[in-house]
Amino acid sequence: MSSWGAGPAEADRGEAGGVRTALAGLTTRGRSFLAAGIAAAICSFVLGLSELLRVGLLLAVLPLICAAVLYRTRYRVAASRRLAPARVPAGSEARVHLRMDNVSRLPTGLLMLQDRVPYVLGPRPRFVLDRVEPGGRREVSYRVRSDLRGRYPLGPLQLRLTDPFGMCELTRSFSTHDTLTVIPRVEPLSPVRFGGEAKGYGDGRQRSLALAGEDDVIPRGYRYGDDLRRVHWRSTARYGELMVRREEQPRRSRCTVLLDTRGGAYEGAGPDSAFEWAVSGAASVLVHMLERGFSVRLLTDSGTAVPGEGADGFAGTGQETADAAGLMMDTLAVIDHSDGTGLSRAYDVLRGGNEGLLIAFLGDLDEEQAATVAKMSRRSGGAVAFVLDPDTWTREATDVPRPGGRHEERLRMLREAGWTALSVPRGASPDELWRQADRERSGLTAVTGEARG
């Protein structure tokens, strides 16, 4: 949960032209009274009725007095907002808590709170607060929900003051606002193990051994739990503290998730579109591989990665893993279609090769793009591609299925290049495809091993 974000403001903070502001705040009732009073005064002069003049003056002066009194009211209030949670998956609800404090020595009158929210989050919430005693506090809350990813501003909070007769209403706005981040849906994936991948923490570790020789050892400070047989006494005497030999360094397994964001590769829009499925699938894989201890990197077709990401991607345990997942989810929350037409930039980034696992979520491919993707698997420890079938994602459920010759040809090209390529039909389950990819990858590894033997 995020902490209370205080946003104090004074209700007596006016704008230039106090009289104009007060008159602009007249309600329909106040304007009606003012018009009726003016009309009665004019009729009194025409008809020569002094009693009608007194009635007209009363009707006209009443809304003016209410506006002047309301404008001169000296309320001092402070407002704050809290989001629970501030980051929510698409389709889930978040609760917004509002708190209003009366920091003046006078009680307030009738107050109406109104928070500004984007239309995709729901209707604009309004609350009516009765008299708030000096030093008193009132708390209200409302729910927001969005099926679309994105970052949505909440606020500023508006306070509407009204007089007891309902003749005038004045609005004061607070200056602070908060941001609700709607991230892609993340589906839990089964703990599979693709054949050919590098071993990560928890499944065995690859280690890079230090060169033999006492002089080549790079010592480090002693940590609780280190084997005392690894104490390097020469360095201990030199630095004056217990030092141990760094004979072997665990090397974390790496995984690159490639997300195709080309605008021409997907058709349709909305929460159930093909592009949203690809973003949700990439988010599920990123979180799953981070939890397994991999160094994870997110790459798009334009060759860009997550800001702040290291050369080998994000890695960490405990809170570091949660922070890395949150940063990547924030990136995926606002990711959109790119203007590119090819995948050559992503290939240039992967051409250096880190021999890790490569998992790609791809849209529609032509022959040139499929050839580029096929070359990406050469320097990877394993390559899995989820290619969205454009025919099933664009036609209606009642349409007659069309032969997918082009799509099947692209899958065949990828499989011949060493990819485990799966077709993604409309409404497919990411976890089911994930397990299917594991079965096909395991069978491909077994066949390759027999052929080499």
Side-chain angles (χ1 to χ4, degrees), residues 73 97 110 157 169 181 228 249 261 267 279 395 441:
T73 302
H97 300 268
L110 190 66
L157 184 65
E169 287 184 354
T181 303
L228 293 178
Q249 301 176 357
T261 63
E267 295 186 15
V279 174
R395 70 168 184 260
R441 184 67 190 174

Side-chain angles (χ1 to χ4, degrees), residues 69-85:
V69 172
L70 186 62
Y71 182 77
R72 299 287 295 178
T73 302
R74 295 295 186 262
Y75 292 151
R76 290 175 55 87
V77 294
S80 56
R81 182 189 298 104
R82 177 172 61 92
L83 304 181

Side-chain angles (χ1 to χ4, degrees), residues 262-277 336-337 390 393-395 426:
R262 295 172 298 122
Y266 303 92
E267 295 186 15
D272 296 328
S273 62
F275 182 65
E276 293 301 320
W277 190 98
D336 202 355
H337 293 293
W393 285 93
T394 54
R395 70 168 184 260
R426 186 183 185 91

Side-chain angles (χ1 to χ4, degrees), residues 355-378:
E355 299 182 357
L357 183 63
L358 175 60
I359 301 177
F361 291 85
L362 306 171
D364 190 18
L365 302 173
D366 58 21
E367 186 175 358
E368 180 181 357
Q369 295 160 358
T372 302
V373 175
K375 295 185 293 185
M376 295 180 182
S377 64
R378 296 177 181 176

Side-chain angles (χ1 to χ4, degrees), residues 138-281:
R138 297 292 185 271
E139 295 185 8
V140 293
S141 64
Y142 64 93
R143 294 178 296 180
V144 291
R145 180 180 182 273
S146 175
D147 293 328
L148 299 175
R149 300 175 293 109
R151 294 172 62 87
Y152 302 100
L154 301 179
L157 184 65
Q158 293 180 336
L159 178 65
R160 301 182 67 180
L161 308 176
T162 182
D163 64 281
F165 300 102
M167 298 289 182
C168 182
E169 287 184 354
L170 294 181
T171 302
R172 296 290 183 263
S173 296
F174 296 86
S175 58
T176 58
H177 67 277
D178 294 277
T179 302
L180 175 68
T181 303
V182 181
I183 62 176
R185 295 185 181 92
V186 177
E187 181 172 335
L189 301 180
S190 302
V192 302
R193 179 172 170 179
F194 292 113
E197 72 179 32
K199 308 296 188 298
Y201 282 123
D203 293 326
R205 295 177 290 180
Q206 287 185 337
R207 299 180 180 270
S208 54
L209 300 179
L211 296 176
E214 191 71 15
D215 296 334
D216 295 330
V217 174
I218 302 177
R220 62 167 175 82
Y222 175 82
R223 299 172 185 171
Y224 179 78
D226 286 339
D227 191 352
L228 293 178
R229 291 174 296 181
R230 295 174 53 195
V231 174
H232 192 252
W233 298 109
R234 182 180 300 177
S235 299
T236 299
R238 179 185 303 173
Y239 294 104
E241 59 177 333
L242 203 59
M243 308 291 290
V244 296
R245 294 188 301 272
R246 190 180 298 177
E247 295 178 344
E248 53 184 11
Q249 301 176 357
R251 187 172 60 191
R252 189 180 294 267
S253 298
R254 306 174 214 180
C255 175
T256 299
V257 177
L258 173 62
L259 176 60
D260 183 8
T261 63
R262 295 172 298 122
Y266 303 92
E267 295 186 15
D272 296 328
S273 62
F275 182 65
E276 293 301 320
W277 190 98
V279 174
S280 178

Side-chain angles (χ1 to χ4, degrees), residues 266 274 277-278 360-365 383-395 402-415 419-440:
Y266 303 92
W277 190 98
F361 291 85
L362 306 171
D364 190 18
L365 302 173
V384 181
F386 299 95
V387 186
L388 279 77
D389 187 355
D391 292 335
T392 61
W393 285 93
T394 54
R395 70 168 184 260
R402 293 174 292 180
R406 173 180 170 180
H407 180 65
E408 293 299 330
E409 178 65 20
R410 304 297 180 256
L411 293 177
R412 185 187 61 81
M413 291 179 59
L414 298 183
R415 289 164 182 162
W419 284 83
T420 302
L422 276 73
S423 176
V424 180
R426 186 183 185 91
S429 169
D431 182 59
E432 182 179 348
L433 291 175
W434 183 253
R435 288 185 278 110
Q436 180 182 351
D438 173 54
R439 293 191 296 268
E440 294 191 10

Side-chain angles (χ1 to χ4, degrees), residues 124 314 379:
R124 180 171 296 183
F314 287 105
R379 297 299 301 274

